[in-house]
Amino acid sequence: MPNHFHLLILRGTRQLSELMRRLMTGYAVSFNTKHRRSGHLFQNRYKAILCDAEEYLLELVAYIHLNPLRARLVGDLAGLEKYKWCGHGALTGRQEAGFLEREYVLSHFGQKEKSAVLKYAAFIEERRGKYKGKEYSGGGLVKSLGGVGNVAGLRGRGVKEISDDRILGDGDFVSSILKIVEKPEEERMTKQEVISEVKRITGISYAKLASRSRERGIVKGRAMYCYLRKERGGASGTELMKELGLSSGTISYLVHQGREVRQ
């Protein structure tokens, strides 16, 4: 799109932040070099919503690929096939697939490529006028249930559905994710426990970790500290930014480095 982009990513075991840091930093460096400019390229940090693939995968494929048509960047589906900043043409076979998992998406429409492409095209045609607003641009109760009317209907029957603004999915899916990522307080490491653990392993004090020193050993200890505070202590990136006086990109980098050190 003119001022933003959408990616549909199937999560693996590695953190999304690692991929996005490399992608956005790499693109910014390449763009700046090509256009002989310097400084930040992206205005804001990316926004990520965890979605229930079983429920929303194909709807998200259609929603994202139809964005240029809704925004009138192209006039029709034939134009959408030729639009190089969209994966639709790759799925229909009009363009090179690049990094898009063409076979994986088409497998949801059939085992034979020709018939799968036809079914995919019919699916897109059916949904070209369905999406009016930002139905799948975030999580939370209203979007997970498909609108305010559905939420009101549940509440009218006295039904409570667990939700989270970071997740697109029904209550059972949200609950299963929260059980994984939100460890009970008693299982988390406190800040002091992290400080003690890092000092035990590296011999580096918290005062040095919190300093602006770029000494290799201190940076390594700082990375381990950020990793443990975030992954084992439940601290957010924003908390660490304020605590250490570092940017979000630097915190993401240190967390990644700390994971490598611990492994």
Side-chain angles (χ1 to χ4, degrees), residues 141-157 159 161:
L141 185 61
V142 173
K143 290 182 178 178
S144 292
L145 292 181
V148 176
N150 293 336
V151 175
L154 277 184
R155 289 177 175 170
R157 299 195 303 271
V159 178
E161 183 88 341

Side-chain angles (χ1 to χ4, degrees), residues 21 222 226 246-256:
R21 177 180 60 80
R222 190 178 296 132
C226 288
L246 300 172
S247 68
S248 62
T250 301
I251 293 297
S252 295
Y253 173 78
L254 288 172
V255 170
H256 168 65

Side-chain angles (χ1 to χ4, degrees), residues 3-218:
N3 63 355
H4 66 280
F5 61 87
H6 298 267
L7 295 175
L8 177 57
I9 300 172
L10 186 62
R11 277 289 310 273
T13 56
R14 307 190 75 158
Q15 289 202 341
L16 180 65
S17 59
E18 177 186 340
L19 166 67
M20 295 305 296
R21 177 180 60 80
R22 293 185 177 187
L23 172 66
M24 298 179 77
T25 300
Y27 182 83
V29 170
S30 177
F31 186 92
N32 285 351
T33 300
K34 180 178 179 180
H35 296 280
R36 298 181 180 180
R37 67 182 297 277
S38 60
H40 293 289
L41 180 62
F42 297 104
Q43 182 178 2
N44 298 312
R45 187 179 184 274
Y46 68 90
K47 178 182 179 180
I49 301 297
L50 185 63
C51 306
D52 183 353
E54 185 174 340
E55 183 73 22
Y56 293 105
L57 174 67
L58 297 185
E59 291 294 341
L60 287 168
V61 168
Y63 177 78
I64 291 173
H65 286 166
L66 286 167
N67 260 339
L69 187 60
R70 284 196 302 276
R72 299 181 181 178
L73 298 176
V74 297
D76 51 28
L77 288 176
L80 188 65
E81 279 192 310
K82 300 174 184 176
Y83 191 60
K84 68 176 183 177
W85 304 113
C86 175
H88 175 66
L91 287 174
T92 61
R94 290 291 300 272
Q95 297 189 50
E96 291 294 323
F99 62 80
L100 187 140
E101 289 285 350
R102 183 172 186 264
E103 291 76 15
Y104 177 76
V105 176
L106 290 180
S107 69
H108 290 78
F109 295 93
Q111 297 305 310
K112 294 184 178 180
E113 180 182 354
K114 187 175 181 179
S115 62
V117 169
L118 291 174
K119 289 179 181 178
Y120 163 75
F123 177 76
I124 293 296
E125 174 66 45
E126 180 187 339
R127 277 155 176 74
R128 63 181 300 181
K130 175 183 176 182
Y131 312 114
K132 303 298 183 183
K134 298 182 178 180
E135 292 97 327
Y136 299 111
S137 62
L141 185 61
V142 173
K143 290 182 178 178
S144 292
L145 292 181
V148 176
N150 293 336
V151 175
L154 277 184
R155 289 177 175 170
R157 299 195 303 271
V159 178
K160 292 184 178 180
E161 183 88 341
I162 187 171
S163 64
D164 191 294
D165 288 341
R166 302 165 295 176
I167 303 172
L168 184 63
D170 64 19
D172 290 339
F173 179 74
V174 173
S175 296
S176 68
I177 296 300
L178 294 181
K179 285 179 181 178
I180 295 172
V181 300
E182 295 185 353
K183 295 180 179 179
E185 292 290 339
E186 61 269 18
E187 293 182 14
R188 296 180 183 178
M189 293 180 72
T190 65
K191 179 179 177 179
Q192 190 55 52
E193 286 174 337
V194 173
I195 292 173
S196 299
E197 177 72 359
V198 173
K199 187 172 184 180
R200 181 186 68 79
I201 296 173
T202 67
I204 299 172
S205 67
Y206 177 72
K208 290 183 178 179
L209 293 177
S211 72
R212 293 302 180 93
S213 173
R214 295 188 178 183
E215 185 180 325
R216 187 173 181 179
I218 294 177

